[in-house]
Every structure is written in C-alpha cells, then in structure tokens.
Amino acid sequence: EPEVTQTPSHQVTQMGQEVILRCVPISNHLYFYWYRQILGQKVEFLVSFYNNEISEKSEIFDDQFSVERPDGSNFTLKIRSTKLEDSAMYFCASSGFISSGNTIYFGEGSWLTVV
Amino acid sequence: AQTVTQSQPEMSVQEAETVTLSCTYDTSESDYYLFWYKQPPSRQMILVIRQEAYKQQNATENRFSVNFQKAAKSFSLKISDSQLGDAAMYFCAYRPLFNSGGSNYKLTFGKGTLLTVNP
C-alpha cells in the first residue's frame, strides 16, 4: 500500500538553528499538509499546499515557517530559527481528489526536539 | 468554524470486551467526512475508519464500527473483542466535503481518548 514517508524520524537541534523536515507524499496525490502535535496535546493544522502554493495556513504558521515542493515529489517544512516551543511531532499528510472522498494519509512523523 | 469534542480523556476495557468512544462535532455544513485515527505509542497516525455524512449506513471495518447520528452530530467508535494491540490514543476528526469558508479540506481533530486494554 502506498504511504507517506518522512525524514528524519527524530532530530535534536539547538535553539535558533534552522531545521528542514522532509516528506515524500503518496504519488498522484494533489493536496499536502503539515500538522503538529506537541507532546500530550491535540494534533494541530499548520498548512495546506495545493497546485504549488499554500492554500491555507494556521495562526501557528508564522514567518519562521515555510514550505515548498522543490522537485515534484518532496514536500518540505522549514523552520528558520527554532524555539523551544517548536519541540513537537510534525506530521506530513497527503490526499487525492476531494470529490472522490480520498482520505488524508499521514506519515510516521518527525519528532523535533529543540534544546 | 468546525469543532470536534471528545469528552472522554481516558477509557479502559478488558481484553475481549467491547468499548465505545464518544465524539461530537459542530458544523454548519451538510456534507462532510468523519474519521477515527489511532495513534499507538509509536505516535504514527493510523486511519481506523471513515464515514461519509451523506451515507446513512454506519461504517464498519472488522472489529471497528461507528454509530453516526447526523442530527445529533455524534460519531462514536465501537471496538468489539478488544485486543491488547488496540491500546492507543484515538482521535476523532472532521473534514469538509466542499472547500467552503477557506477550510481547504483540512482535518480538524478532537483532543483524543487514551484507551487502555487490560489483560
């Protein structure tokens, strides 16, 4: 079964450093998402991406965050200057045509620890 | 804005017995999808079951079934013959069918219910 893959599975970084989290969505999917889950809390939407541009972003997704799909397969989340409160599990997700009712499929997550 | 409420932070069940996890949601839309995701200790998000709001029949997947009450905006998950491997955090989630109000089909999650299965 096709799956969303994420790298790295775990990263430790110093506060103020830049981090790039990588994702390979399911091929032929059209909609891409990043979600975040701080330990013990609910899963929060960060950003959605469609047709090579951001289609929606949450209040969490401020200027220190950016996303891009550089080569038609990878989908990356960059955090420019990490803060302690950015420590969380980051999930990439993708889905196909909405009209077909396709489900959003999640990757296994990238666990980011900022020290 | 849509909201999803899971009123049970924790539940426990004996192995082989049945447990029901509750979920309510609020939306002004008439067509949407509802999901239950399972998150084991590995923290991966695994789809358990999906329900289309326009379908009256409740979805089932092996030991997992839902009780979808559209008028009451309720979407509970029933796990039959519980197994030790069912122990996990369970999240209820809502997704609109149409991109109205700029929602862009994103999922809105509840806070989750931690299910413990006792041997």
Side-chain angles (χ1 to χ4, degrees):
Chain A
E1 185 176 318
E3 58 182 24
V4 177
T5 57
Q6 291 185 240
T7 54
S9 57
H10 188 195
Q11 183 163 350
V12 180
T13 189
Q14 289 201 325
M15 192 168 54
Q17 295 296 305
E18 177 182 283
V19 163
I20 297 176
L21 305 179
R22 292 182 170 80
C23 169
V24 179
I26 296 172
S27 65
N28 81 1
H29 275 190
L30 302 175
Y31 297 85
F32 312 109
Y33 309 84
W34 283 100
Y35 287 80
R36 182 180 82 174
Q37 186 185 30
I38 295 171
L39 188 62
Q41 299 188 21
K42 68 190 289 186
V43 181
E44 300 173 294
F45 169 77
L46 288 179
V47 66
S48 60
F49 193 85
Y50 170 70
N51 200 25
N52 287 319
E53 62 181 19
I54 291 174
S55 49
E56 186 181 0
K57 58 184 181 180
S58 71
E59 294 175 351
I60 304 168
F61 195 88
D62 60 23
D63 291 344
Q64 71 161 345
F65 291 93
S66 63
V67 290
E68 64 176 3
R69 196 152 187 256
D71 56 11
S73 60
N74 292 288
F75 179 50
T76 63
L77 174 70
K78 181 191 290 186
I79 310 174
R80 285 191 188 80
S81 178
T82 50
K83 306 171 192 169
L84 294 175
E85 54 265 36
D86 293 328
S87 294
M89 178 74 94
Y90 289 82
F91 291 102
C92 175
S94 70
S95 68
F97 281 109
I98 302 306
S99 60
S100 67
N102 277 357
T103 299
I104 294 180
Y105 292 93
F106 286 79
E108 294 191 350
S110 293
W111 180 234
L112 177 65
T113 302
V114 182
V115 297
Chain B
Q2 296 88 5
T3 59
V4 177
T5 302
Q6 294 179 249
S7 59
Q8 306 153 317
E10 296 183 25
M11 292 282 284
S12 64
V13 63
Q14 289 296 127
E15 195 175 4
E17 295 191 346
T18 295
V19 65
T20 298
L21 308 184
S22 301
C23 173
T24 59
Y25 57 94
D26 187 26
T27 182
S28 58
E29 304 293 331
S30 59
D31 292 313
Y32 46 86
Y33 297 101
L34 295 164
F35 304 86
W36 279 96
Y37 283 89
K38 170 185 176 181
Q39 188 180 45
S42 66
R43 302 196 71 188
Q44 184 179 1
M45 295 290 286
I46 302 167
L47 176 68
V48 175
I49 199 165
R50 180 181 90 176
Q51 174 78 44
E52 292 88 346
Y54 56 85
K55 290 185 179 179
Q56 293 187 337
Q57 187 172 7
N58 288 324
T60 62
E61 285 287 341
N62 301 313
R63 298 182 295 108
F64 298 87
S65 62
V66 299
N67 184 6
F68 173 50
Q69 302 289 327
K70 190 173 184 179
K73 296 181 181 174
S74 170
F75 182 61
S76 60
L77 174 69
K78 186 171 82 172
I79 306 174
S80 305
D81 185 25
S82 297
Q83 300 175 0
L84 295 177
D86 295 333
M89 181 72 88
Y90 286 83
F91 291 97
C92 178
Y94 166 99
R95 185 186 194 190
L97 177 61
F98 299 107
N99 182 18
S100 60
S103 67
N104 275 286
Y105 315 114
K106 70 175 186 285
L107 282 169
T108 299
F109 286 89
K111 290 187 175 181
T113 297
L114 180 62
L115 178 66
T116 303
V117 181
N118 301 311

